[in-house]
Amino acid sequence: MSSVTLFDALLDILERRRRDNPYIELSPENQTFLTQAALHASSAPTPATPTPAALPPTAPADDDRTPKPAPQPPGREPPAAEAPNTAAQPTAEPIDLGNTDLVELETMVSACTRCELCKERNRTAFADGSADADLMFIGEGPGADEDREGIPFVGAAGQLLTKIIGAMKIRREDVYIANIVKCRPPRNRNPEPDEAAACLPYLERQIELVAPKVIITLGAVPLRFLLDQKGIRRQRGNWLDYKGIPVMPTFHPSYLLRVPDAKRDVWNDMQQIMVRLGIQK
Ligand code: URA
């Protein structure tokens, strides 16, 4: 079998598996790798013949809650794996939140119509926890439970997050928990760039007002939209910076529910934070 046919067949198998199981462990990097390998194979006179054994080890998919887009068919330009994420933050209508406090901000958010997500929401999920928190968690956006209750991270992923916080010897009520978007994206899909951009000023103001000592971003979505970075597998566990505040990207608890082995990585990340906060030596 030629390499082109081999890769076409492999992509086809992976795509069918993805349809059967939306949580197939195929990261965007691996999708890009496969696509680029197929493109390379179709253009090279003597094609390199990566075999399945030469593929990168199966790695956790980005921890999004929704299926990844299908691998790009050969012939279409795939997104460059390391390209800067310029699509992350399209311009949204400016909004002046300069003097708002958290109560005013929450009121504004509850009436917000800056993006389409407002049309299907039941309740906005503004934040949970303490405005004096040293530690702030930032997730993606509300799911069905959060949309019903109006509080971030109260569903299954939230319960796991609460356990993680407890394991850090912190009470959930002493941290501050927010999301990139405050309204539930339909079917728990990831927020679109324009939705994230419309909502981001609220989160930026929340961060400014809470002024945490450390931020933990949960999953690929806040990494992308708050920090303009991609590659959660590569970035997790490494300190980043948001306006002078140290940020630790880690996996999303929804991902841990699907891939319990990744809890080890998250626990390593949490230990770094505990050291930073002086909870652990
Ligand atoms: N996932 C999130 O990212 N946020 C929530 O509030 C709930 C689940």
Side-chain angles (χ1 to χ4, degrees), residues 89-134:
Q89 287 161 28
T91 44
E93 283 294 305
I95 182 168
D96 182 11
L97 302 173
N99 293 317
T100 47
D101 62 24
L102 285 170
V103 175
E104 289 162 342
L105 205 57
E106 181 162 11
T107 307
M108 287 177 77
V109 164
S110 68
C112 180
T113 55
R114 284 169 59 77
C115 81
E116 295 283 302
L117 294 183
C118 68
K119 293 188 178 157
E120 292 189 38
R121 74 171 174 233
N122 287 304
R123 298 181 66 177
T124 54
F126 178 71
D128 195 26
S130 165
D132 293 327
D134 285 345

Side-chain angles (χ1 to χ4, degrees), residues 3-4 7 37 40-41 44-51:
S3 357
V4 180
F7 273 102
H40 177 75
T46 317
T49 327
T51 62

Side-chain angles (χ1 to χ4, degrees), residues 138-254:
I138 300 176
E140 303 176 1
D145 296 304
E146 291 78 18
D147 175 69
R148 194 170 44 245
E149 295 198 28
I151 302 170
F153 283 100
V154 290
Q159 284 161 27
L160 180 52
L161 179 62
T162 305
K163 281 191 192 157
I164 294 169
I165 296 168
M168 296 171 76
K169 304 182 200 135
I170 308 176
R171 298 182 314 165
R172 176 173 163 133
E173 53 269 40
D174 292 336
V175 305
Y176 191 83
I177 304 174
N179 279 311
I180 290 290
V181 292
K182 316 300 191 216
C183 299
R184 182 190 183 198
R187 299 172 305 282
N188 291 350
R189 65 161 170 75
N190 290 343
E192 295 291 344
D194 62 324
E195 296 159 353
C199 217
L200 203 60
Y202 299 129
L203 179 62
E204 287 170 342
R205 182 72 182 142
Q206 284 174 293
I207 297 172
E208 197 178 336
L209 287 164
V210 175
K213 289 190 179 139
V214 172
I215 293 173
I216 301 176
T217 55
L218 300 168
V221 167
L223 184 67
R224 174 181 181 191
F225 291 122
L226 186 69
L227 301 161
D228 202 14
Q229 299 281 331
K230 57 202 280 191
I232 182 65
R233 284 183 305 111
R234 190 168 27 89
Q235 299 274 14
R236 69 135 277 279
N238 296 311
W239 289 102
L240 298 174
D241 176 271
Y242 173 82
K243 297 187 180 171
I245 302 172
V247 180
M248 174 58 68
T250 196
F251 292 132
H252 193 284
S254 300

Side-chain angles (χ1 to χ4, degrees), residues 14-52:
L14 290 169
E15 172 57 6
R16 272 187 278 119
R17 271 191 59 196
R18 190 187 69 84
R19 264 187 249 125
D20 293 340
N21 172 10
Y23 298 126
I24 177 174
E25 292 185 8
L26 180 64
S27 69
E29 286 86 354
N30 283 353
Q31 290 177 14
T32 305
F33 172 86
L34 287 171
T35 308
Q36 281 172 342
L39 285 170
H40 177 75
S42 63
S43 60
T46 317
T49 327
T51 62

